[in-house]
């Protein structure tokens, strides 16, 4: 039998309770395809005594893992690289009484299975290691946990949080983001879609998406600035072409608090109309939304640039957790905006939507994409050109943005 201690990656965690908050959204996603070449998790056992606790995860083969300490509620999260899990009891109470109150296993990503241990008292990992299969027993990850002082636990949480910050800071920010004034109020970056050589959608009457969304974005900026609550920047203030990654980089390098991309695209189906707000989901399955996102993502090709580089698979639990938190905040922002649009603007059915828009990829900036309406629909087209409709819609969007920041302040 060989016993090999793997490096324990210190990792992070974020705000209270976001695990459960994020689940509601992620449950809607289809089952991910099995990750090739990774073992399955086939069982788990959690036992506890007042002096120590142990988590054993049975694996169909050797794999990597990572650990992180989380506060409020106090938890330990353990990710293993695995395709899926088929365990008899994925959630429950440990055998015996001790520092672990309960446990739950979930598919955190197509290549990752996460076990979360909720602590009843401060605790820390004493050791963690993977055992090869031997004598008919499967390979296993063993995590031994011992009681800790509140100070030790807090220090572990802080260490993991700091490591998370370092990872996000180390993420390459594509060149091209210009410097904006340092924000003292929340910074909202408005991104008028398309521009320059890229006209976006074009109506039969020659009206172009890039012109409509720029005019609308300038109006929205005015309203937000007039509220006195926000600093507001635009990714473009004139008919300039910007690559998708430049738009993302501008929001990231200026540490935007919200990124909002404004569009009015086309569908082949002219009957589809109404406003909608998108957040990013790489696994979204709606066919029309996929067509919309695919067209949008081709922007850079239209202008003669290559497709933006898709980030390599990042195995870090930290970055995943940060993305989840941003995804959750993006979803909150989308809901707040739709809630304010609803009384004054025609909406699509299920107006809070998900699709794989590259421009929403910042891991550290909540990002939404607003489709004001569709140039391919005659009624939407007429609205988009009307001053009173533009004012009403910009008002509603500004209110939605304000209530989103209100909700952050109320529930930090
Ligand atoms: Zn567009």
């Amino acid at each position: 039998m060989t016993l090999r201690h793997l490096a324990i990656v210190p990792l992070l965690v974020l705000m209270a309770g976001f695990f459960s908050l994020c689940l509601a959204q992620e449950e809607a996603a289809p089952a991910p395809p099995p990750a090739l070449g990774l073992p399955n998790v086939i069982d788990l056992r959690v036992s506890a005594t007042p002096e120590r606790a142990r988590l054993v995860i049975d694996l169909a083969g050797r794999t990597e893992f990572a650990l992180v300490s989380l506060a409020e509620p106090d938890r330990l999260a353990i990710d293993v690289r695995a395709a899926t899990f088929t365990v008899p009891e994925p959630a429950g109470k440990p055998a015996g009484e001790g520092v672990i109150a309960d446990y739950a296993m979930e598919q955190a990503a197509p290549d990752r299975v996460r076990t979360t241990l909720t602590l009843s008292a401060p605790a820390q990992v004493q050791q963690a290691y993977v055992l090869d299969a031997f004598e008919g027993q499967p390979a296993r990850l063993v995590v031994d946990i011992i009681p800790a002082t509140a100070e030790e636990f807090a220090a572990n949480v802080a260490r993991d949080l700091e490591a998370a910050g370092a990872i996000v800071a180390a993420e390459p920010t594509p060149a091209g983001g210009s410097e904006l004034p340092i924000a003292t109020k929340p910074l909202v970056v408005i991104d008028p879609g398309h521009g320059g050589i890229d006209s976006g959608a074009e109506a039969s009457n020659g009206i172009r998406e890039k012109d409509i969304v720029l005019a609308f974005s300038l109006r929205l900026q005015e309203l937000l600035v007039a509220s006195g609550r926000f600093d507001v920047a635009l990714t473009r203030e004139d008919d300039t072409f910007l690559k998708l990654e430049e738009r993302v980089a501008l929001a990231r390098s200026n540490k935007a608090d919200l990124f909002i991309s404004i569009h009015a695209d086309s569908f082949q189906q002219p009957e589809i109309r109404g406003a909608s707000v998108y957040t990013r989901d790489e696994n979204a399955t709606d066919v029309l939304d996929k067509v919309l996102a695919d067209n949008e993502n081709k922007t850079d090709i239209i202008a003669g640039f290559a497709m933006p580089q898709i980030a390599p698979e990042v195995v870090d639990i930290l970055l995943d957790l940060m993305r989840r938190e941003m995804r959750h905040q993006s979803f909150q922002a989308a809901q707040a905006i739709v809630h304010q649009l609803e009384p004054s603007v025609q909406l699509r059915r299920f107006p809070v939507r998900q699709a794989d828009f590259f421009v929403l990829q910042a891991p550290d900036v909540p990002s939404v994409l607003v489709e004001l309406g569709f140039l391919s629909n005659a009624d939407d087209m007429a609205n988009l050109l009307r001053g009173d409709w533009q004012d009403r819609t910009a008002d509603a969007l500004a209110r939605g943005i304000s209530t989103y920041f209100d909700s952050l302040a109320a529930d930090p």
Side-chain angles (χ1 to χ4, degrees):
M1 158 177 124
T2 65
L3 182 149
R4 185 171 146 228
H5 288 247
L6 295 184
I8 297 171
V9 185
L11 288 184
L12 110 103
V13 167
L14 301 172
M15 306 56 175
F18 80 52
F19 269 82
S20 55
L21 290 170
C22 294
L23 278 179
Q25 194 193 354
E26 309 229 334
E27 274 166 6
L36 290 178
L38 291 176
N40 287 348
V41 171
I42 50 184
D43 202 359
L44 91 159
R45 295 177 294 286
V46 185
S47 59
T49 69
E51 293 78 38
R52 62 170 51 252
R54 169 167 280 181
L55 164 69
V56 180
I57 294 178
D58 285 347
L59 299 155
R62 250 192 119 75
T63 191
E64 298 167 312
F65 66 96
L67 304 165
V68 60
S69 301
L70 308 168
E72 299 178 32
D74 294 352
R75 284 154 296 161
L76 296 171
I78 301 99
D79 273 16
V80 295
R81 295 242 305 150
T84 184
F85 64 98
T86 51
V87 309
E89 276 191 71
K93 305 268 179 205
E97 296 259 318
V99 292
I100 297 174
D102 56 55
Y103 67 87
M105 181 170 270
E106 61 170 325
Q107 189 86 38
D111 66 347
R112 239 177 307 168
V113 171
R114 175 168 304 157
T115 307
T116 303
L117 307 174
T118 307
L119 302 175
S120 51
Q124 60 190 357
V125 173
Q126 181 192 34
Q127 58 177 348
Y129 50 89
V130 173
L131 291 170
D132 282 330
F134 72 100
E135 290 174 9
Q137 309 237 37
R140 270 163 296 161
L141 167 65
V142 179
V143 182
D144 282 333
I145 295 148
I146 54 172
T149 65
E151 292 72 28
E152 285 169 333
F153 183 77
N156 289 344
V157 170
R159 173 200 66 195
D160 291 351
L161 200 54
E162 196 180 325
I167 283 181
V168 169
E171 266 236 317
T173 299
S178 53
E179 290 300 317
L180 298 172
I182 293 165
T184 51
K185 303 168 185 171
L187 174 64
V188 177
V189 171
I190 304 173
D191 172 45
H194 312 280
I197 188 174
D198 169 23
S199 299
E202 207 159 333
S204 46
N205 57 6
I207 299 287
R208 295 174 302 187
E209 178 183 2
K210 67 173 183 178
D211 300 323
I212 286 185
V213 297
L214 177 60
F216 186 89
S217 298
L218 290 165
R219 175 82 190 107
L220 178 59
Q221 179 186 33
E222 246 177 62
L223 286 173
L224 289 172
V225 169
S227 78
R229 283 191 68 178
F230 304 106
D231 286 321
V232 186
L234 268 66
T235 54
R236 67 178 178 97
E237 296 181 340
D238 53 26
D239 189 20
T240 303
F241 175 80
L242 281 171
K243 290 195 272 183
L244 294 176
E245 63 188 58
E246 289 172 329
R247 300 168 192 262
V248 178
L250 193 137
R252 293 191 63 202
S253 61
N254 291 285
K255 303 200 182 334
D257 297 286
L258 181 65
F259 176 84
I260 174 165
S261 193
I262 307 287
H263 290 258
D265 285 294
S266 289
F267 267 136
Q268 294 102 321
Q269 290 82 347
E271 69 277 9
I272 291 178
R273 65 166 303 199
S276 49
V277 183
Y278 285 83
T279 60
R280 187 172 192 222
D281 183 346
E282 300 87 328
N283 299 315
T285 51
D286 184 283
V287 175
L288 290 181
D289 288 343
K290 182 166 180 355
V291 169
L292 197 64
D294 285 350
N295 282 336
E296 204 57 53
N297 294 341
K298 275 186 215 141
T299 284
D300 292 353
I301 290 180
I302 294 168
F305 293 94
M307 291 284 270
Q309 198 83 51
I310 296 169
E313 184 68 18
V314 180
V315 295
D316 263 306
I317 183 174
L318 286 182
L319 193 52
D320 173 55
L321 289 168
M322 182 139 315
R323 279 189 202 284
R324 282 190 179 209
E325 175 60 16
M326 285 308 115
R327 208 164 273 216
H328 171 62
Q329 286 186 17
S330 302
F331 188 67
Q332 278 191 309
Q335 284 184 309
I337 291 169
V338 161
H339 187 67
Q340 296 299 324
L341 285 174
E342 197 264 330
S344 29
V345 181
Q346 168 98 30
L347 295 175
R348 275 184 79 188
R349 224 153 77 85
F350 307 114
V352 177
R353 308 185 73 89
Q354 279 77 42
D356 188 13
F357 286 106
F358 289 170
V359 79
L360 304 180
Q361 67 180 255
D364 43 3
V365 181
S367 301
V368 300
L369 183 147
V370 177
E371 290 283 0
L372 296 172
F374 292 94
L375 295 190
S376 41
N377 177 274
D379 293 325
D380 275 6
M381 181 75 246
N383 279 340
L384 285 161
L385 294 176
R386 277 172 40 198
D388 63 330
W389 185 92
Q390 293 164 8
D391 287 345
R392 209 165 63 232
T393 308
D395 274 341
L397 262 174
R399 275 198 310 276
I401 291 166
S402 285
T403 54
Y404 162 67
F405 281 99
D406 289 345
S407 72
L408 286 186
D411 180 24

